[in-house]
Protein backbone atom coordinates (compact mmCIF):
# COMPACT_ATOMS: atom_id res chain seq x y z
CA UNK A 1 0.00 0.00 0.00
CA UNK A 2 1.30 3.45 -0.96
CA UNK A 3 0.78 6.00 1.79
CA UNK A 4 1.05 9.76 1.78
CA UNK A 5 0.88 12.19 4.66
CA UNK A 6 -0.09 15.85 4.89
CA UNK A 7 1.30 18.57 7.16
CA UNK A 8 -1.28 21.09 8.37
CA UNK A 9 -0.72 24.84 8.39
CA UNK A 10 -1.32 25.16 12.13
CA UNK A 11 0.21 22.94 14.77
CA UNK A 12 -2.58 23.50 17.28
CA UNK A 13 -5.77 22.40 15.52
CA UNK A 14 -7.93 19.34 15.21
CA UNK A 15 -9.61 17.86 12.16
CA UNK A 16 -13.39 18.09 12.10
CA UNK A 17 -13.87 16.15 8.86
CA UNK A 18 -12.37 15.71 5.41
CA UNK A 19 -13.86 15.10 1.95
CA UNK A 20 -12.57 13.90 -1.38
CA UNK A 21 -13.75 16.51 -3.89
CA UNK A 22 -12.13 14.61 -6.78
CA UNK A 23 -9.86 11.62 -7.29
CA UNK A 24 -6.77 13.82 -6.75
CA UNK A 25 -8.09 16.48 -4.37
CA UNK A 26 -8.91 16.30 -0.68
CA UNK A 27 -10.31 19.03 1.59
CA UNK A 28 -9.76 19.14 5.35
CA UNK A 29 -12.04 21.12 7.66
CA UNK A 30 -10.14 21.84 10.84
CA UNK A 31 -11.01 23.87 13.87
CA UNK A 32 -9.14 26.86 12.39
CA UNK A 33 -9.87 26.77 8.70
CA UNK A 34 -10.13 24.98 5.35
CA UNK A 35 -7.13 23.30 3.74
CA UNK A 36 -7.07 21.95 0.17
CA UNK A 37 -4.49 19.36 -0.89
CA UNK A 38 -3.60 17.81 -4.21
CA UNK A 39 -2.73 14.12 -4.16
CA UNK A 40 0.09 13.09 -6.52
CA UNK A 41 0.01 9.27 -6.60
CA UNK A 42 2.91 8.89 -9.03
CA UNK A 43 5.16 10.88 -6.68
CA UNK A 44 3.56 9.57 -3.51
CA UNK A 45 3.12 13.15 -2.34
CA UNK A 46 0.39 15.35 -0.93
CA UNK A 47 0.76 19.01 -1.87
CA UNK A 48 -0.96 21.89 -0.08
CA UNK A 49 -2.54 24.21 -2.66
CA UNK A 50 -4.88 26.41 -0.64
CA UNK A 51 -5.47 27.45 2.97
CA UNK A 52 -8.21 29.63 4.46
CA UNK A 53 -7.85 30.82 8.01
CA UNK A 54 -11.36 30.66 9.44
CA UNK A 55 -12.55 29.82 12.94
CA UNK A 56 -15.02 26.90 12.64
CA UNK A 57 -17.41 25.86 15.39
CA UNK A 58 -19.48 23.68 13.03
CA UNK A 59 -20.05 23.44 9.29
CA UNK A 60 -22.25 21.78 6.65
CA UNK A 61 -20.73 20.64 3.35
CA UNK A 62 -22.47 19.47 0.15
CA UNK A 63 -20.20 17.22 -1.99
CA UNK A 64 -22.52 17.58 -5.00
CA UNK A 65 -22.24 21.37 -5.28
CA UNK A 66 -19.00 21.80 -3.24
CA UNK A 67 -20.69 24.50 -1.15
CA UNK A 68 -19.87 24.80 2.54
CA UNK A 69 -21.67 26.79 5.24
CA UNK A 70 -19.62 27.65 8.33
CA UNK A 71 -20.59 28.95 11.75
CA UNK A 72 -18.05 30.49 14.09
CA UNK A 73 -20.16 29.83 17.20
CA UNK A 74 -23.09 27.74 18.32
CA UNK A 75 -25.33 30.78 18.71
CA UNK A 76 -25.26 33.00 15.64
CA UNK A 77 -27.43 35.05 13.32
CA UNK A 78 -25.00 34.90 10.38
CA UNK A 79 -23.35 32.07 8.46
CA UNK A 80 -20.32 32.14 6.15
CA UNK A 81 -20.68 30.56 2.71
CA UNK A 82 -17.81 29.29 0.55
CA UNK A 83 -17.57 27.50 -2.80
CA UNK A 84 -14.73 25.10 -3.53
CA UNK A 85 -13.75 24.78 -7.18
CA UNK A 86 -10.59 23.47 -8.82
CA UNK A 87 -8.51 23.85 -5.69
CA UNK A 88 -9.70 27.43 -5.09
CA UNK A 89 -11.85 28.64 -2.19
CA UNK A 90 -14.34 31.31 -3.27
CA UNK A 91 -15.98 33.36 -0.56
CA UNK A 92 -19.64 34.14 -1.16
CA UNK A 93 -21.71 36.83 0.58
CA UNK A 94 -22.50 36.15 4.20
CA UNK A 95 -25.86 34.53 4.93
CA UNK A 96 -27.70 36.85 7.29
CA UNK A 97 -30.60 35.43 9.30
CA UNK A 98 -33.23 38.07 9.97
CA UNK A 99 -34.19 36.85 13.44
CA UNK A 100 -31.69 38.07 15.99
CA UNK A 101 -30.30 36.06 18.90
CA UNK A 102 -31.36 32.78 17.36
CA UNK A 103 -29.52 29.55 17.97
CA UNK A 104 -28.89 27.91 14.59
CA UNK A 105 -27.48 24.45 15.07
CA UNK A 106 -25.76 22.19 12.61
CA UNK A 107 -28.82 19.92 12.34
CA UNK A 108 -30.94 22.93 11.32
CA UNK A 109 -28.96 23.62 8.12
CA UNK A 110 -29.17 21.57 4.92
CA UNK A 111 -27.58 22.23 1.53
CA UNK A 112 -29.24 20.69 -1.51
CA UNK A 113 -29.42 21.05 -5.29
CA UNK A 114 -32.87 21.33 -6.82
CA UNK A 115 -33.48 19.78 -10.28
CA UNK A 116 -29.70 19.76 -10.90
CA UNK A 117 -29.85 23.52 -11.49
CA UNK A 118 -30.41 25.61 -8.35
CA UNK A 119 -28.43 25.32 -5.12
CA UNK A 120 -30.18 26.11 -1.85
CA UNK A 121 -29.24 26.45 1.78
CA UNK A 122 -32.20 25.52 3.98
CA UNK A 123 -32.22 27.03 7.50
CA UNK A 124 -34.79 25.96 10.09
CA UNK A 125 -36.14 28.81 12.19
CA UNK A 126 -37.67 27.61 15.45
CA UNK A 127 -40.15 29.71 17.44
CA UNK A 128 -39.08 31.45 20.61
CA UNK A 129 -39.85 29.76 23.91
CA UNK A 130 -42.50 32.31 24.96
CA UNK A 131 -44.03 32.68 21.49
CA UNK A 132 -47.86 32.72 21.28
CA UNK A 133 -49.62 29.60 20.03
CA UNK A 134 -50.42 31.22 16.65
CA UNK A 135 -46.70 31.64 15.87
CA UNK A 136 -45.31 28.60 17.68
CA UNK A 137 -44.56 26.58 14.54
CA UNK A 138 -41.19 26.11 12.90
CA UNK A 139 -40.49 27.45 9.42
CA UNK A 140 -37.77 26.79 6.88
CA UNK A 141 -36.06 29.60 4.99
CA UNK A 142 -34.36 28.82 1.66
CA UNK A 143 -31.42 30.86 0.40
CA UNK A 144 -30.53 30.64 -3.28
CA UNK A 145 -26.78 30.21 -3.78
CA UNK A 146 -25.69 31.46 -7.22
CA UNK A 147 -22.11 30.32 -7.63
CA UNK A 148 -21.60 32.10 -10.96
CA UNK A 149 -23.02 35.47 -9.93
CA UNK A 150 -21.55 35.06 -6.42
CA UNK A 151 -24.81 35.95 -4.68
CA UNK A 152 -26.82 34.60 -1.75
CA UNK A 153 -30.51 35.50 -1.90
CA UNK A 154 -33.39 34.71 0.44
CA UNK A 155 -36.09 33.34 -1.88
CA UNK A 156 -38.51 30.89 -0.22
CA UNK A 157 -40.32 30.36 3.08
CA UNK A 158 -41.70 26.89 3.85
CA UNK A 159 -44.50 26.83 6.41
CA UNK A 160 -44.86 23.85 8.72
CA UNK A 161 -47.72 23.02 11.06
CA UNK A 162 -45.63 21.85 14.01
CA UNK A 163 -42.96 22.94 16.46
CA UNK A 164 -39.82 21.13 15.45
CA UNK A 165 -37.58 22.15 18.36
CA UNK A 166 -37.61 18.64 19.78
CA UNK A 167 -36.92 16.89 16.52
CA UNK A 168 -36.92 18.18 12.94
CA UNK A 169 -34.79 16.75 10.15
CA UNK A 170 -34.65 17.10 6.36
CA UNK A 171 -33.90 14.95 3.34
CA UNK A 172 -33.88 15.68 -0.40
CA UNK A 173 -35.36 12.81 -2.41
CA UNK A 174 -36.25 13.05 -6.09
CA UNK A 175 -36.00 16.87 -5.89
CA UNK A 176 -38.49 16.94 -3.02
CA UNK A 177 -37.53 18.52 0.30
CA UNK A 178 -38.73 15.94 2.84
CA UNK A 179 -39.23 17.38 6.33
CA UNK A 180 -39.53 14.92 9.23
CA UNK A 181 -41.25 15.80 12.48
CA UNK A 182 -39.59 13.07 14.53
CA UNK A 183 -41.53 13.86 17.68
CA UNK A 184 -44.91 13.15 16.07
CA UNK A 185 -43.66 10.66 13.49
CA UNK A 186 -44.91 12.63 10.46
CA UNK A 187 -43.25 13.53 7.18
CA UNK A 188 -44.11 16.58 5.05
CA UNK A 189 -43.24 17.20 1.38
CA UNK A 190 -42.23 20.50 -0.22
CA UNK A 191 -41.62 21.04 -3.93
CA UNK A 192 -39.76 24.24 -4.79
CA UNK A 193 -39.31 25.14 -8.44
CA UNK A 194 -41.22 22.20 -9.91
CA UNK A 195 -44.25 24.13 -11.13
CA UNK A 196 -45.53 24.88 -7.60
CA UNK A 197 -44.63 28.55 -7.40
CA UNK A 198 -46.26 29.25 -4.04
CA UNK A 199 -47.66 32.59 -2.93
CA UNK A 200 -45.30 35.44 -3.81
CA UNK A 201 -45.45 38.53 -1.60
CA UNK A 202 -43.00 40.59 -3.64
CA UNK A 203 -39.95 39.28 -1.80
CA UNK A 204 -40.45 35.62 -0.90
CA UNK A 205 -42.45 32.70 -2.22
CA UNK A 206 -44.45 31.07 0.58
CA UNK A 207 -45.01 27.30 0.30
CA UNK A 208 -47.15 24.80 2.17
CA UNK A 209 -46.78 21.04 2.25
CA UNK A 210 -47.93 19.11 -0.83
CA UNK A 211 -50.79 16.82 0.14
CA UNK A 212 -51.30 15.30 3.54
CA UNK A 213 -48.36 14.30 5.78
CA UNK A 214 -47.24 10.68 5.79
CA UNK A 215 -46.68 8.60 8.89
CA UNK A 216 -43.25 7.13 9.44
CA UNK A 217 -42.91 3.37 9.75
CA UNK A 218 -41.34 1.88 12.86
CA UNK A 219 -41.51 2.83 16.51
CA UNK A 220 -38.03 4.25 17.11
CA UNK A 221 -38.18 7.29 14.84
CA UNK A 222 -37.27 9.81 17.59
CA UNK A 223 -33.87 8.09 17.76
CA UNK A 224 -33.25 8.17 14.04
CA UNK A 225 -30.06 9.87 12.85
CA UNK A 226 -30.41 11.31 9.34
CA UNK A 227 -27.70 11.99 6.75
CA UNK A 228 -28.05 13.66 3.35
CA UNK A 229 -29.37 13.02 0.91
CA UNK A 230 -31.59 10.05 1.93
CA UNK A 231 -29.86 7.93 4.63
CA UNK A 232 -31.41 6.99 7.99
CA UNK A 233 -29.53 5.24 10.79
CA UNK A 234 -31.37 3.65 13.71
CA UNK A 235 -28.72 3.21 16.45
CA UNK A 236 -31.03 1.14 18.66
CA UNK A 237 -31.82 -1.37 15.92
CA UNK A 238 -28.35 -1.17 14.40
CA UNK A 239 -29.70 -0.56 10.88
CA UNK A 240 -28.93 1.87 8.06
CA UNK A 241 -31.70 2.50 5.53
CA UNK A 242 -32.26 4.45 2.35
CA UNK A 243 -35.51 6.42 2.04
CA UNK A 244 -37.51 6.35 -1.19
CA UNK A 245 -40.75 8.01 -2.22
CA UNK A 246 -43.70 5.66 -2.73
CA UNK A 247 -45.22 7.37 -5.74
CA UNK A 248 -48.27 5.11 -5.77
CA UNK A 249 -49.18 6.45 -2.31
CA UNK A 250 -49.34 10.00 -3.66
CA UNK A 251 -52.37 9.41 -5.90
CA UNK A 252 -55.32 11.70 -5.36
CA UNK A 253 -57.99 10.80 -2.83
CA UNK A 254 -61.16 12.49 -1.65
CA UNK A 255 -59.24 15.29 0.07
CA UNK A 256 -56.84 15.78 -2.81
CA UNK A 257 -59.40 15.69 -5.62
CA UNK A 258 -60.64 19.25 -5.29
CA UNK A 259 -60.50 21.61 -8.24
CA UNK A 260 -57.93 23.83 -6.53
CA UNK A 261 -55.61 20.99 -5.52
CA UNK A 262 -55.62 18.90 -8.71
CA UNK A 263 -53.41 21.22 -10.86
CA UNK A 264 -50.87 21.42 -8.04
CA UNK A 265 -50.91 17.65 -7.75
CA UNK A 266 -50.32 17.27 -11.50
CA UNK A 267 -47.41 19.73 -11.41
CA UNK A 268 -45.91 17.82 -8.50
CA UNK A 269 -46.25 14.39 -10.13
CA UNK A 270 -44.83 15.55 -13.46
CA UNK A 271 -41.51 16.19 -11.74
CA UNK A 272 -41.23 12.79 -10.01
CA UNK A 273 -39.41 9.76 -11.35
CA UNK A 274 -41.57 6.77 -12.39
CA UNK A 275 -44.80 8.66 -11.64
CA UNK A 276 -46.51 8.25 -15.03
CA UNK A 277 -48.81 5.40 -14.00
CA UNK A 278 -49.88 7.06 -10.74
CA UNK A 279 -50.49 10.39 -12.52
CA UNK A 280 -52.64 8.79 -15.23
CA UNK A 281 -54.72 6.93 -12.63
CA UNK A 282 -55.20 10.16 -10.67
CA UNK A 283 -56.35 12.05 -13.76
CA UNK A 284 -58.78 9.29 -14.72
CA UNK A 285 -60.28 9.28 -11.22
CA UNK A 286 -60.77 13.04 -11.34
CA UNK A 287 -62.32 12.99 -14.82
CA UNK A 288 -64.98 10.58 -13.55
CA UNK A 289 -65.77 12.93 -10.64
CA UNK A 290 -67.79 15.80 -12.20
CA UNK A 291 -68.85 17.21 -8.82
CA UNK A 292 -65.43 17.88 -7.33
CA UNK A 293 -63.43 18.56 -10.53
CA UNK A 294 -64.75 20.98 -13.13
CA UNK A 295 -63.57 21.42 -16.72
CA UNK A 296 -61.60 24.55 -15.85
CA UNK A 297 -59.45 22.58 -13.42
CA UNK A 298 -58.98 19.75 -15.92
CA UNK A 299 -58.06 22.28 -18.60
CA UNK A 300 -55.39 23.74 -16.32
CA UNK A 301 -54.01 20.22 -15.80
CA UNK A 302 -53.93 19.59 -19.55
CA UNK A 303 -52.16 22.91 -20.07
CA UNK A 304 -49.42 21.95 -17.62
CA UNK A 305 -49.08 18.48 -19.15
CA UNK A 306 -48.86 19.84 -22.70
CA UNK A 307 -46.42 22.55 -21.69
CA UNK A 308 -43.94 19.82 -20.74
CA UNK A 309 -44.92 17.82 -23.83
CA UNK A 310 -44.14 20.86 -26.00
CA UNK A 311 -40.75 21.31 -24.32
CA UNK A 312 -40.01 17.63 -24.93
CA UNK A 313 -40.94 17.94 -28.62
CA UNK A 314 -38.77 21.05 -29.05
CA UNK A 315 -35.79 19.31 -27.47
CA UNK A 316 -36.25 16.49 -29.97
CA UNK A 317 -36.58 18.90 -32.90
CA UNK A 318 -33.67 21.15 -31.93
CA UNK A 319 -30.88 18.99 -33.47
CA UNK A 320 -32.79 18.74 -36.77
CA UNK A 321 -33.39 22.49 -36.95
CA UNK A 322 -29.70 23.11 -36.32
CA UNK A 323 -28.62 21.09 -39.37
CA UNK A 324 -27.39 23.46 -42.07
CA UNK A 325 -27.62 20.88 -44.88
CA UNK A 326 -31.29 20.14 -44.35
CA UNK A 327 -33.10 18.86 -47.45
CA UNK A 328 -35.96 21.23 -46.62
CA UNK A 329 -33.89 24.43 -46.45
CA UNK A 330 -33.36 25.30 -50.07
CA UNK A 331 -36.44 25.55 -52.19
CA UNK A 332 -39.93 26.76 -51.58
CA UNK A 333 -41.32 29.86 -49.96
CA UNK A 334 -43.83 27.69 -48.12
CA UNK A 335 -41.11 25.68 -46.43
CA UNK A 336 -39.27 28.84 -45.37
CA UNK A 337 -42.40 30.37 -43.87
CA UNK A 338 -43.21 27.13 -42.05
CA UNK A 339 -39.71 26.96 -40.56
CA UNK A 340 -39.86 30.62 -39.61
CA UNK A 341 -43.12 30.07 -37.78
CA UNK A 342 -41.83 27.04 -35.88
CA UNK A 343 -38.37 28.37 -34.99
CA UNK A 344 -39.42 30.98 -32.37
CA UNK A 345 -41.40 28.37 -30.42
CA UNK A 346 -38.47 25.98 -30.43
CA UNK A 347 -35.84 28.62 -29.71
CA UNK A 348 -37.78 29.97 -26.73
CA UNK A 349 -37.90 26.50 -25.16
CA UNK A 350 -34.32 25.35 -25.80
CA UNK A 351 -33.06 26.61 -22.45
CA UNK A 352 -35.93 25.09 -20.49
CA UNK A 353 -35.92 21.60 -19.05
CA UNK A 354 -38.80 19.19 -19.69
CA UNK A 355 -40.33 17.43 -16.72
CA UNK A 356 -39.35 13.92 -15.68
CA UNK A 357 -42.75 12.56 -16.75
CA UNK A 358 -44.00 13.23 -20.28
CA UNK A 359 -47.59 12.38 -21.20
CA UNK A 360 -48.00 12.29 -24.97
CA UNK A 361 -51.24 12.02 -26.90
CA UNK A 362 -51.11 8.23 -27.03
CA UNK A 363 -50.83 8.09 -23.22
CA UNK A 364 -53.85 10.34 -22.74
CA UNK A 365 -55.91 8.47 -25.33
CA UNK A 366 -55.09 4.97 -24.08
CA UNK A 367 -55.25 5.57 -20.33
CA UNK A 368 -57.88 8.31 -19.99
CA UNK A 369 -60.06 8.90 -23.06
CA UNK A 370 -60.68 5.26 -24.00
CA UNK A 371 -61.57 4.16 -20.43
CA UNK A 372 -63.89 7.19 -20.12
CA UNK A 373 -65.69 6.13 -23.32
CA UNK A 374 -66.15 2.61 -21.97
CA UNK A 375 -67.49 3.93 -18.65
CA UNK A 376 -69.92 6.30 -20.36
CA UNK A 377 -71.57 3.43 -22.25
CA UNK A 378 -72.39 1.51 -19.07
CA UNK A 379 -75.79 1.79 -17.43
CA UNK A 380 -75.78 3.82 -14.24
CA UNK A 381 -72.28 5.21 -14.91
CA UNK A 382 -71.13 8.28 -12.98
CA UNK A 383 -69.93 9.93 -16.20
CA UNK A 384 -71.96 10.84 -19.26
CA UNK A 385 -71.01 10.96 -22.93
CA UNK A 386 -71.57 14.72 -22.82
CA UNK A 387 -68.85 15.12 -20.17
CA UNK A 388 -66.47 12.88 -22.12
CA UNK A 389 -67.01 15.06 -25.21
CA UNK A 390 -66.26 18.17 -23.14
CA UNK A 391 -63.05 16.58 -21.77
CA UNK A 392 -61.84 15.60 -25.26
CA UNK A 393 -62.53 19.10 -26.63
CA UNK A 394 -60.72 20.65 -23.66
CA UNK A 395 -57.67 18.47 -24.33
CA UNK A 396 -57.73 19.39 -28.04
CA UNK A 397 -57.96 23.07 -27.05
CA UNK A 398 -54.86 22.69 -24.88
CA UNK A 399 -52.94 21.00 -27.72
CA UNK A 400 -53.89 23.80 -30.10
CA UNK A 401 -52.70 26.51 -27.70
CA UNK A 402 -49.31 24.81 -27.49
CA UNK A 403 -49.18 24.44 -31.30
CA UNK A 404 -49.10 20.66 -31.05
CA UNK A 405 -50.85 18.92 -33.99
CA UNK A 406 -53.54 16.58 -32.66
CA UNK A 407 -53.32 12.95 -33.77
CA UNK A 408 -56.14 11.65 -35.94
CA UNK A 409 -57.25 9.07 -33.32
CA UNK A 410 -58.29 11.90 -30.97
CA UNK A 411 -60.42 13.47 -33.69
CA UNK A 412 -61.80 10.04 -34.55
CA UNK A 413 -62.80 9.55 -30.92
CA UNK A 414 -64.54 12.93 -30.87
CA UNK A 415 -66.46 12.17 -34.08
CA UNK A 416 -67.61 8.80 -32.74
CA UNK A 417 -68.77 10.42 -29.49
CA UNK A 418 -70.74 13.10 -31.33
CA UNK A 419 -72.36 10.55 -33.63
CA UNK A 420 -73.21 8.26 -30.72
CA UNK A 421 -74.93 11.11 -28.89
CA UNK A 422 -76.67 12.34 -32.04
CA UNK A 423 -74.96 15.74 -32.00
CA UNK A 424 -74.65 16.05 -35.79
CA UNK A 425 -75.01 19.82 -35.84
CA UNK A 426 -72.04 20.17 -33.42
CA UNK A 427 -70.04 17.76 -35.60
CA UNK A 428 -70.83 19.83 -38.69
CA UNK A 429 -69.71 23.01 -36.91
CA UNK A 430 -66.44 21.49 -35.71
CA UNK A 431 -65.64 20.30 -39.25
CA UNK A 432 -66.74 23.51 -40.93
CA UNK A 433 -64.54 25.68 -38.72
CA UNK A 434 -61.63 23.21 -38.92
CA UNK A 435 -61.56 22.44 -35.21
CA UNK A 436 -61.12 18.86 -36.40
CA UNK A 437 -58.06 18.74 -38.63
CA UNK A 438 -58.20 17.28 -42.13
CA UNK A 439 -56.75 13.80 -42.62
CA UNK A 440 -57.37 10.81 -44.79
CA UNK A 441 -58.41 8.43 -41.94
CA UNK A 442 -61.00 10.95 -40.71
CA UNK A 443 -62.35 11.43 -44.23
CA UNK A 444 -62.84 7.68 -44.52
CA UNK A 445 -64.59 7.65 -41.13
CA UNK A 446 -66.97 10.41 -42.26
CA UNK A 447 -67.69 8.47 -45.43
CA UNK A 448 -68.75 5.48 -43.35
CA UNK A 449 -71.27 7.67 -41.49
CA UNK A 450 -73.26 8.55 -44.60
CA UNK A 451 -76.01 6.06 -43.69
CA UNK A 452 -76.82 7.79 -40.40
CA UNK A 453 -75.85 11.32 -41.45
CA UNK A 454 -76.19 11.97 -45.22
CA UNK A 455 -74.23 15.23 -45.08
CA UNK A 456 -71.17 13.24 -43.98
CA UNK A 457 -70.49 12.25 -47.60
CA UNK A 458 -69.97 15.81 -48.77
CA UNK A 459 -68.01 16.62 -45.62
CA UNK A 460 -65.73 13.67 -46.40
CA UNK A 461 -65.20 14.79 -49.99
CA UNK A 462 -64.45 18.35 -48.90
CA UNK A 463 -61.94 17.12 -46.33
CA UNK A 464 -60.10 14.94 -48.83
CA UNK A 465 -60.05 17.77 -51.33
CA UNK A 466 -58.62 20.24 -48.79
CA UNK A 467 -56.12 17.66 -47.61
CA UNK A 468 -54.84 17.06 -51.13
CA UNK A 469 -54.74 20.77 -51.99
CA UNK A 470 -52.70 21.58 -48.89
CA UNK A 471 -50.30 18.74 -49.59
CA UNK A 472 -49.66 19.92 -53.15
CA UNK A 473 -48.79 23.39 -51.85
CA UNK A 474 -45.90 21.77 -49.98
CA UNK A 475 -45.01 19.16 -52.60
CA UNK A 476 -41.48 20.56 -52.97
CA UNK A 477 -40.64 19.77 -49.33
CA UNK A 478 -42.30 16.40 -48.86
CA UNK A 479 -40.93 12.99 -49.62
CA UNK A 480 -41.59 11.25 -52.93
CA UNK A 481 -43.07 8.31 -51.08
CA UNK A 482 -45.65 10.63 -49.55
CA UNK A 483 -46.43 12.08 -52.99
CA UNK A 484 -47.20 8.57 -54.20
CA UNK A 485 -49.55 8.08 -51.23
CA UNK A 486 -51.16 11.44 -52.03
CA UNK A 487 -51.78 10.41 -55.63
CA UNK A 488 -53.31 7.17 -54.38
CA UNK A 489 -55.59 9.19 -52.09
CA UNK A 490 -56.81 11.27 -55.04
CA UNK A 491 -57.55 8.14 -57.02
CA UNK A 492 -59.58 6.89 -54.07
CA UNK A 493 -61.75 10.02 -54.26
CA UNK A 494 -62.43 9.24 -57.91
CA UNK A 495 -63.32 5.66 -56.94
CA UNK A 496 -65.68 6.88 -54.22
CA UNK A 497 -67.46 9.24 -56.59
CA UNK A 498 -67.82 6.50 -59.19
CA UNK A 499 -69.21 4.09 -56.59
CA UNK A 500 -71.84 6.73 -55.73
CA UNK A 501 -72.70 6.98 -59.47
CA UNK A 502 -71.48 10.57 -59.56
CA UNK A 503 -69.79 10.07 -62.95
CA UNK A 504 -69.56 13.68 -64.07
CA UNK A 505 -68.27 14.80 -60.66
CA UNK A 506 -65.60 12.10 -60.86
CA UNK A 507 -64.56 13.30 -64.34
CA UNK A 508 -64.30 16.91 -63.23
CA UNK A 509 -62.31 16.00 -60.09
CA UNK A 510 -59.95 13.83 -62.13
CA UNK A 511 -59.28 16.75 -64.45
CA UNK A 512 -58.70 19.22 -61.61
CA UNK A 513 -56.30 16.78 -59.92
CA UNK A 514 -54.42 15.91 -63.12
CA UNK A 515 -55.60 12.30 -63.03
CA UNK A 516 -57.57 12.22 -66.27
CA UNK A 517 -54.80 10.27 -67.98
CA UNK A 518 -53.99 8.10 -64.96
CA UNK A 519 -57.44 6.62 -64.53
CA UNK A 520 -58.45 4.41 -67.52
CA UNK A 521 -61.27 5.85 -69.62
CA UNK A 522 -62.87 2.40 -69.57
CA UNK A 523 -63.49 2.78 -65.82
CA UNK A 524 -65.51 5.96 -66.32
CA UNK A 525 -67.46 4.49 -69.24
CA UNK A 526 -68.29 1.27 -67.41
CA UNK A 527 -69.52 3.16 -64.36
CA UNK A 528 -71.66 5.40 -66.59
CA UNK A 529 -73.11 2.35 -68.34
CA UNK A 530 -73.91 0.70 -64.98
CA UNK A 531 -76.15 3.63 -64.06
CA UNK A 532 -78.55 2.63 -66.88
CA UNK A 533 -78.86 6.29 -67.89
CA UNK A 534 -77.92 6.77 -71.55
CA UNK A 535 -77.58 10.53 -71.13
CA UNK A 536 -74.87 10.06 -68.51
CA UNK A 537 -73.02 7.62 -70.75
CA UNK A 538 -73.30 10.06 -73.68
CA UNK A 539 -71.97 12.92 -71.53
CA UNK A 540 -69.02 10.77 -70.39
CA UNK A 541 -68.22 9.81 -74.01
CA UNK A 542 -68.37 13.43 -75.14
CA UNK A 543 -66.15 14.64 -72.30
CA UNK A 544 -63.53 11.95 -72.89
CA UNK A 545 -63.58 12.67 -76.62
CA UNK A 546 -63.03 16.40 -76.03
CA UNK A 547 -60.02 15.55 -73.87
CA UNK A 548 -58.69 13.17 -76.56
CA UNK A 549 -58.98 10.28 -74.10
CA UNK A 550 -61.55 8.17 -75.93
CA UNK A 551 -59.86 5.36 -77.89
CA UNK A 552 -61.49 3.68 -80.88
CA UNK A 553 -61.84 0.42 -78.95
CA UNK A 554 -63.57 2.13 -75.99
CA UNK A 555 -65.84 4.05 -78.37
CA UNK A 556 -66.86 0.77 -79.99
CA UNK A 557 -67.30 -1.16 -76.74
CA UNK A 558 -69.45 1.54 -75.15
CA UNK A 559 -71.42 2.63 -78.18
CA UNK A 560 -74.86 4.00 -77.35
CA UNK A 561 -77.60 1.98 -79.03
Amino acid sequence: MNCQSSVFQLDVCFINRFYWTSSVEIVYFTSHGIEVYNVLPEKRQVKSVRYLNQLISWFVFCPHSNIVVISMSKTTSSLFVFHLKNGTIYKLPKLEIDTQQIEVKEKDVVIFTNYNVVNYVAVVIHPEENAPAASSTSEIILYNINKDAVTVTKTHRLRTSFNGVSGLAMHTIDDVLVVHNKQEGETFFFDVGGGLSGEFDGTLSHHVSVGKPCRMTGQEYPNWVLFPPDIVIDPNAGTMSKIKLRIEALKVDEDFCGSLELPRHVSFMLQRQNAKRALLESLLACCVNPVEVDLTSLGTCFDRINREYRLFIDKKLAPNLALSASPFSSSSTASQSTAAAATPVVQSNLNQRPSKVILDQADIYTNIMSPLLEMATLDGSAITIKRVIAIVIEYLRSLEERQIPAQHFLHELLINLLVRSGQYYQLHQLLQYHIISDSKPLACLLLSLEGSYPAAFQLSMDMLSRYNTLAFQFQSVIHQKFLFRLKTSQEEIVEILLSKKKILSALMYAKSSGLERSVPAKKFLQSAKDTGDKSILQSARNWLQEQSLLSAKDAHDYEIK
Side-chain angles (χ1 to χ4, degrees), residues 181-350:
N181 179 8
K182 296 198 294 182
Q183 187 66 25
E184 300 295 333
E186 293 181 331
T187 299
F188 298 80
F189 305 96
F190 294 91
D191 184 17
V192 179
L196 304 181
S197 56
E199 299 178 4
F200 187 66
D201 62 1
T203 305
L204 298 177
S205 292
H206 298 262
H207 298 261
V208 296
S209 176
V210 178
K212 297 185 297 185
C214 297
R215 299 290 301 181
M216 295 184 187
T217 58
Q219 300 297 322
E220 301 297 331
Y221 43 81
N223 299 320
W224 282 359
V225 180
L226 283 69
F227 294 92
D230 53 7
I231 302 299
V232 171
I233 294 179
D234 189 339
N236 293 347
T239 60
M240 181 173 68
S241 307
K242 183 181 179 72
I243 294 182
K244 291 185 178 180
L245 290 180
R246 290 181 59 242
I247 297 298
E248 65 276 6
L250 298 177
K251 294 188 296 185
V252 295
D253 53 18
E254 291 79 4
D255 297 331
F256 212 95
C257 202
S259 295
L260 295 178
E261 286 296 326
L262 181 59
R264 297 183 69 246
H265 173 75
V266 169
S267 297
F268 178 82
M269 297 292 279
L270 284 171
Q271 300 294 343
R272 309 283 78 82
Q273 294 283 0
N274 305 318
K276 176 181 283 191
R277 172 55 53 187
L279 177 54
L280 288 169
E281 292 177 357
S282 297
L283 283 173
L284 179 59
C286 291
C287 287
V288 180
N289 191 341
V291 177
E292 296 293 338
V293 182
D294 55 23
L295 287 176
T296 302
S297 178
L298 286 175
T300 304
C301 295
F302 288 145
D303 289 340
R304 298 187 182 189
I305 290 171
N306 288 326
R307 174 186 177 275
E308 305 300 335
Y309 184 30
R310 178 78 232 189
L311 290 176
F312 175 77
I313 292 174
D314 291 343
K315 289 289 184 182
K316 289 268 188 178
L317 291 177
N320 297 329
L321 292 177
L323 293 176
S324 58
S326 172
F328 307 111
S329 62
S330 57
S331 51
S332 71
T333 305
S335 64
Q336 294 174 4
S337 61
T338 303
T343 300
V345 177
V346 177
Q347 292 295 335
S348 63
N349 292 337
L350 286 180

Side-chain angles (χ1 to χ4, degrees), residues 107-108 124 126-127 136-138 160 162-168 181:
K107 67 177 183 178
D108 296 329
V124 180
H126 297 296
S136 61
T137 59
S138 300
T160 67
F162 57 89
N163 188 327
V165 173
S166 55
L168 185 150
N181 179 8

Side-chain angles (χ1 to χ4, degrees), residues 18 66 153 159 207 250-251 256 293 316 321 336 342 344 376 472 490 498 521-522 524 527 556 558:
F18 68 90
N66 286 339
T153 309
R159 302 171 183 169
H207 298 261
L250 298 177
K251 294 188 296 185
F256 212 95
V293 182
K316 289 268 188 178
L321 292 177
Q336 294 174 4
F472 266 113
Q490 294 170 331
L498 291 176
K522 182 178 179 179
F524 292 107
S527 298
H556 178 269
Y558 294 95

